[in-house]
Amino acid sequence: MDRNTDTSQKELRSVAFIGLGIMGGPMAANLVRAGYRVTGYNRSRAAVDRLVEAGGHAASSVAEAVADAHAVITMLPADAEVTEVVLGEGGVLEHARSGSLFIDMSTISPRTATALGEAGREHGVGVLDAPVSGGEAGAVEGVLSIMAGGDAEDFERAAPLFDALGTTVVHVGPHGAGQTVKAANQLVVAVNIQALAEAVVFLEQAGADLPAALTVLGGGLAGSTVLNRKKETMLNRDFAPGFRIDLHHKDLGIVTDTAREIGAVLPAGALVAQLLSSCRANGEGGLDHSALLRGVERLSGRGSSHWNR
Amino acid sequence: MDRNTDTSQKELRSVAFIGLGIMGGPMAANLVRAGYRVTGYNRSRAAVDRLVEAGGHAASSVAEAVADAHAVITMLPADAEVTEVVLGEGGVLEHARSGSLFIDMSTISPRTATALGEAGREHGVGVLDAPVSGGEAGAVEGVLSIMAGGDAEDFERAAPLFDALGTTVVHVGPHGAGQTVKAANQLVVAVNIQALAEAVVFLEQAGADLPAALTVLGGGLAGSTVLNRKKETMLNRDFAPGFRIDLHHKDLGIVTDTAREIGAVLPAGALVAQLLSSCRANGEGGLDHSALLRGVERLSGRGSSHWNR
């Protein structure tokens, strides 16, 4: 160990970053730019090489990445990958320094996040669940929204690091609360997209001037960020992602599973989860989530012959 | 007739205003302030007296109000009242001057609005359907959103008059299109409120810090005008209207009826229409539409004992 062995220090200078994909890659690069020593690990080596080009360091295993790190960040696809990398053999908690901080920024279930928090405590490692919103563009530009769950003291230690990644950074409660808020975010986004999709089909079927109509809607109580950002994709039926149906489907699985556990009954959320499933069943999982519009068109008898004109 | 009998003139100076309620009263007063000669009629006399105090003129019948008017405006509760006042014996079209303009600003069905457009044509009277959004405050301050359907020429004639009533004034298509857009607006608003209500219950049941969570949601793709305007009412469970459940229930009746007619299938809209009905069935028709939150709480086993603490 060539670094300060007082691992309870408040300042986090050395960061291990595990999962250097579409989101994790640019996030790790932003930490390098902010002056952190970042050691990256990714299952495929090409992403690690990109981090090295950006000024980071390469590790060939999770164990190697986390050995000297004051903070360990994971940004992985789903619960299974996070659980394996953190709790599995050769994983984060087996090799992390006592007193270090582990931050999972993946979108996973609040239940798993809570379990990771407890496991960290047993290993003397502080844990935060800190999922993000803002997508690839937000990751590249360092303007993510970050919703963090865990102990307030750990949140304070992580704050400078979060500031290098995002602009809206909020501590929303204990272990799991970050994931709960992210789930609620995905619930509202999905239902608001569905509302807009239904309005678009309604207006078109009725023969209204759609761009004019959406301008009026945007100026009143029907206005939303979804309307502002997805209006053009819906008008043009340009469903290149963006945020894929497959990913939103995964996230609404977290919403509906969690809702069942905690006794929250969400009729609109459950309905839209089914409508996302219907889009996937129709081969649209790789399209942007605004393609919920296609589902409403299909229900309304406006099938693929309409889109493919 | 003491006024110019060339009723095809482009300038509308004399306006009959029928229906001087919560919305119509302040709208008529704003026309007076803008320099129009406004003659008002209302079933209950007190509202007419208020208009006279504001500088308007009183009529004791629809026929008397419209006899000398260049433009006739109605602002009435629903289809039945509008149909009676416009098409009935002693009604607007029986007494309106040829070449005058009739503008219905009530929220009614696109089907009725289209029928009024055709009836006006037979009487040589231009017709616009021009429902509004923005509520009582928007009416008082003259900052309504106005979505107008009908001929472009009639819209141009009415434009100065609309400018005295609102700030966002858009021609959205032929007869009925104004009501179609208003219906789409009410559809999106209801579904967005339901989405927020489900998120609130989900977050509370999970133990997240609700105000912090709603701040994060508002900054991202989940942001909406509903979130901005209804956050406090939901946090405080302060459901004083605002826009009553009863009225939104009426409007979603227009949405679902029209959708059935035109073959638009709106699963989330239909669901929320039922949830509004459930609130009414539970005696909440007089509360603000953000009281959809109470429906989600009821479904989630958080009954009145919770609210009445």
Side-chain angles (χ1 to χ4, degrees):
Chain A
M1 249 177 239
D2 60 342
R3 304 189 67 81
N4 187 341
T5 51
D6 173 9
T7 51
S8 66
Q9 74 243 326
K10 294 220 163 169
E11 197 187 349
L12 311 170
R13 294 189 310 273
S14 170
V15 179
F17 208 112
I18 298 164
L20 301 167
I22 285 180
M23 297 294 291
M27 290 165 70
N30 279 333
L31 290 175
V32 172
R33 269 190 284 279
Y36 291 92
R37 175 189 165 86
V38 181
T39 304
Y41 173 72
N42 196 69
R43 195 143 39 168
S44 77
R45 176 76 198 193
V48 180
D49 292 341
R50 280 194 293 275
L51 177 64
V52 171
E53 282 166 34
H57 301 264
S60 54
S61 69
V62 170
E64 186 188 336
V66 308
D68 283 342
H70 303 139
V72 178
I73 298 177
T74 48
M75 191 62 172
L76 296 164
D79 288 60
E81 291 84 352
V82 175
T83 302
E84 189 196 330
V85 163
V86 179
L87 303 180
E89 211 180 340
V92 170
L93 289 186
E94 190 179 311
H95 292 279
R97 291 160 68 165
S98 177
S100 65
L101 187 62
F102 165 60
I103 309 168
D104 177 43
M105 304 191 78
S106 323
T107 294
I108 63 171
S109 71
R111 179 207 279 255
T112 300
T114 305
L116 295 178
E118 285 162 13
R121 196 171 290 139
E122 290 166 14
H123 284 79
V125 172
V127 177
L128 296 171
D129 53 301
V132 305
S133 74
E136 185 181 357
V140 171
E141 294 159 27
V143 296
L144 293 166
S145 290
I146 300 172
M147 40 214 99
D151 295 347
E153 182 184 295
D154 290 330
F155 178 75
E156 291 306 322
R157 287 172 71 198
L161 198 151
F162 288 150
D163 288 340
L165 301 173
T167 43
T168 303
V169 180
V170 185
H171 184 222
V172 290
H175 293 304
Q179 297 296 351
T180 297
V181 174
K182 176 68 189 284
N185 185 78
Q186 298 304 82
L187 164 66
V188 170
V189 169
V191 175
N192 285 6
I193 291 176
Q194 178 65 21
L196 179 59
E198 294 188 9
V200 165
V201 171
F202 181 85
L203 288 162
E204 286 193 341
Q205 292 278 100
D209 177 339
L210 186 59
L214 294 183
T215 298
V216 183
L217 263 57
L221 191 51
S224 68
T225 311
V226 161
L227 176 55
N228 294 340
R229 297 222 197 130
K230 300 298 181 184
K231 182 165 73 171
E232 292 302 319
T233 72
M234 288 201 185
L235 285 171
N236 302 328
R237 267 67 173 174
D238 172 14
F239 298 125
F243 189 77
R244 283 182 289 124
I245 295 261
D246 280 341
L247 286 171
H248 216 139
H249 171 262
K250 178 208 113 186
D251 292 352
L252 283 204
I254 292 171
V255 170
T256 51
D257 286 353
T258 305
R260 280 165 51 93
E261 285 171 26
I262 65 178
V265 176
L266 315 176
L271 172 64
V272 177
Q274 289 286 290
L275 296 171
L276 285 166
S277 291
S278 177
C279 286
R280 294 184 83 225
N282 280 276
E284 296 160 357
L287 301 184
D288 186 67
H289 48 181
S290 56
L292 275 167
L293 177 59
R294 282 205 176 174
V296 181
E297 291 188 309
R298 200 157 31 234
L299 285 165
S300 302
R302 302 173 64 177
S304 56
S305 63
H306 176 79
W307 315 319
N308 295 336
R309 283 184 306 203
Chain B
M1 254 178 241
D2 60 342
R3 304 188 66 82
N4 187 339
T5 52
D6 173 9
T7 51
S8 67
Q9 74 245 323
K10 295 219 164 170
E11 198 188 350
L12 311 170
R13 293 190 310 274
S14 170
V15 178
F17 207 112
I18 299 163
L20 301 167
I22 285 178
M23 297 293 291
M27 289 166 70
N30 279 334
L31 290 174
V32 171
R33 270 190 283 278
Y36 291 92
R37 177 188 162 84
V38 181
T39 305
Y41 173 72
N42 195 70
R43 194 141 41 165
S44 77
R45 176 76 198 192
V48 180
D49 293 340
R50 281 193 293 276
L51 177 64
V52 171
E53 282 166 33
H57 301 265
S60 55
S61 69
V62 170
E64 186 188 334
V66 308
D68 283 343
H70 304 138
V72 179
I73 297 176
T74 48
M75 191 61 174
L76 296 164
D79 288 59
E81 291 84 353
V82 175
T83 302
E84 189 196 331
V85 163
V86 180
L87 303 180
E89 209 179 345
V92 171
L93 289 185
E94 188 179 312
H95 293 279
R97 292 158 68 165
S98 176
S100 66
L101 187 62
F102 165 60
I103 309 168
D104 177 43
M105 304 191 79
S106 323
T107 293
I108 63 170
S109 71
R111 178 206 279 256
T112 299
T114 306
L116 295 177
E118 285 162 13
R121 197 171 288 141
E122 291 165 15
H123 285 79
V125 172
V127 177
L128 294 171
D129 54 300
V132 305
S133 74
E136 184 180 359
V140 170
E141 295 159 26
V143 296
L144 293 166
S145 289
I146 301 173
M147 40 214 101
D151 296 345
E153 184 185 295
D154 289 332
F155 178 76
E156 291 307 322
R157 287 171 72 197
L161 197 149
F162 287 151
D163 288 341
L165 301 172
T167 42
T168 303
V169 180
V170 185
H171 183 222
V172 290
H175 293 305
Q179 297 296 351
T180 297
V181 175
K182 178 68 190 283
N185 185 79
Q186 298 303 82
L187 164 65
V188 171
V189 169
V191 175
N192 285 6
I193 291 175
Q194 178 66 22
L196 179 60
E198 294 188 8
V200 165
V201 171
F202 181 84
L203 288 162
E204 286 193 341
Q205 292 277 102
D209 177 341
L210 188 58
L214 294 182
T215 298
V216 183
L217 264 56
L221 191 50
S224 69
T225 312
V226 161
L227 177 55
N228 294 340
R229 296 221 198 130
K230 300 299 181 185
K231 183 165 73 171
E232 290 303 318
T233 71
M234 288 201 186
L235 285 172
N236 301 328
R237 266 68 173 173
D238 172 14
F239 298 125
F243 189 77
R244 282 181 289 122
I245 294 263
D246 280 340
L247 287 172
H248 216 141
H249 171 262
K250 178 208 112 185
D251 292 351
L252 282 204
I254 292 172
V255 170
T256 51
D257 286 353
T258 305
R260 281 165 51 93
E261 286 172 23
I262 65 178
V265 176
L266 314 176
L271 172 64
V272 178
Q274 289 287 291
L275 296 172
L276 284 166
S277 290
S278 177
C279 285
R280 294 184 82 227
N282 281 278
E284 295 160 357
L287 300 185
D288 186 66
H289 49 180
S290 56
L292 275 167
L293 176 60
R294 282 204 177 177
V296 181
E297 291 188 309
R298 200 157 31 234
L299 285 165
S300 303
R302 300 173 64 176
S304 55
S305 62
H306 176 79
W307 316 319
N308 295 336
R309 281 185 305 203

